[in-house]
């Protein structure tokens, strides 16, 4: 269960969809994050100064007998995604149960082979804490014991269509889950 967001929520004109795609003989089952980015500002909302974004994330998980339902990924060093990208500048967004509710930890999603399925791997320690799209200081380490949501956003403000497919997202200790490594082979496939 996921929710989508875009500048349409504040009067903008970007379109966003998240569709579940069944497996075929040539494609695995996956979700398709797609739509159209518009940077047109709403004429009747002068307080809106920027538009041109779309995103999705999982919905907050329901409460349990013991309180909020959160993921504990502390035993894992990496976050991995199996994707097929169109090559645009997406971000992976992770929200934790932090002191500032609106903080999001972000990492740029670098696709090495747009148009092909690939696995990319990130070090949890490489995520950057942001709030409303701006880097926040001090940079606290991500609270891996209390992950609320995981999602992907497109904030490049480049008008036009977008299409990203996600087969799976998982926490891992295996760097070799990645299809390829970055230039220095000491860091994840995405820097």
């Amino acid at each position: 269960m996921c929710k989508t967001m875009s500048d349409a929520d504040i009067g903008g004109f970007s379109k966003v969809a998240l569709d579940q795609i069944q497996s075929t003989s040539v494609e695995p089952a996956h979700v398709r994050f797609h739509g159209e980015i518009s940077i047109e500002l709403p004429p009747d909302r002068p307080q809106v100064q920027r538009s041109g974004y779309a995103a999705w994330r999982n919905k907050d998980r329901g409460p349990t007998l013991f309180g909020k339902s959160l993921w504990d990924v502390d035993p894992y060093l990496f976050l991995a995604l199996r994707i097929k990208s169109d090559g645009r500048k997406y971000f992976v967004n992770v929200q934790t149960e932090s002191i500032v509710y609106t903080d999001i930890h972000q990492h740029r999603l670098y696709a090495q082979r747009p148009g092909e399925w690939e696995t990319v791997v990130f070090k949890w320690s490489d995520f950057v804490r942001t709030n409303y799209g701006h880097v926040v200081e001090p940079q606290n380490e991500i609270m891996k014991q209390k992950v609320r949501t995981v999602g992907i956003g497109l904030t490049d403000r480049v008008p036009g269509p977008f299409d990203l497919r996600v087969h799976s997202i998982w926490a891992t200790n295996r760097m070799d889950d990645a299809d390829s490594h970055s230039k220095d082979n000491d860091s994840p496939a995405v820097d």
Side-chain angles (χ1 to χ4, degrees):
M1 296 196 307
C2 297
K3 68 183 269 183
T4 58
M5 300 148 283
S6 75
D7 58 59
D9 299 336
I10 58 167
F13 300 96
S14 295
K15 295 178 175 63
V16 61
L18 187 68
D19 302 323
Q20 288 186 317
I21 308 298
Q22 299 298 316
S23 63
T24 67
S25 59
V26 294
E27 295 268 318
H30 60 276
V31 294
R32 180 180 178 217
F33 172 51
H34 63 103
E36 181 101 15
I37 295 295
S38 169
I39 58 171
E40 184 179 345
L41 296 173
D44 58 341
R45 305 210 43 203
Q47 72 276 21
V48 176
Q49 300 292 314
R50 294 182 71 132
S51 66
Y53 66 87
W56 68 269
R57 68 169 180 84
N58 66 284
K59 291 183 179 178
D60 288 335
R61 299 168 70 199
T64 70
L65 184 62
F66 303 104
K68 289 187 178 181
S69 182
L70 305 169
W71 286 296
D72 180 358
V73 296
D74 198 40
Y76 303 100
L77 298 173
F78 305 104
L79 178 68
L81 293 90
R82 181 82 177 150
I83 62 162
K84 184 196 283 188
S85 176
D86 57 7
R88 291 190 68 157
K89 297 177 182 176
Y90 297 94
F91 280 88
V92 176
N93 301 319
V94 176
Q95 193 169 27
T96 65
E97 192 69 14
S98 66
I99 295 170
V100 181
Y101 185 79
T102 53
D103 278 355
I104 294 177
H105 290 80
Q106 295 187 306
H107 198 298
R108 174 76 194 284
L109 177 55
Y110 292 100
Q112 304 293 318
R113 298 190 313 267
E116 298 178 31
W117 286 103
E118 63 182 303
T119 302
V120 291
V121 178
F122 309 91
K123 289 181 184 175
W124 285 108
S125 60
D126 288 345
F127 279 79
V128 175
R129 186 169 70 111
T130 65
N131 196 298
Y132 291 105
H134 300 284
V135 175
V136 175
E137 295 296 340
Q139 280 295 309
N140 299 340
E141 188 172 324
I142 190 168
M143 295 177 64
K144 296 189 324 179
Q145 310 87 341
K146 297 183 176 187
V147 173
R148 284 186 37 229
T149 67
V150 177
I152 296 177
L154 178 60
T155 59
D156 64 4
R157 301 190 70 238
V158 176
F162 65 92
D163 192 334
L164 176 72
R165 293 154 190 259
V166 180
H167 173 264
S168 52
I169 300 174
W170 69 100
T172 183
N173 284 319
R174 297 173 47 105
M175 182 61 186
D176 58 357
D177 280 353
D179 291 336
S180 62
H181 296 278
S182 62
K183 301 172 262 332
D184 62 0
N185 271 345
D186 190 34
S187 58
V190 289
D191 301 312

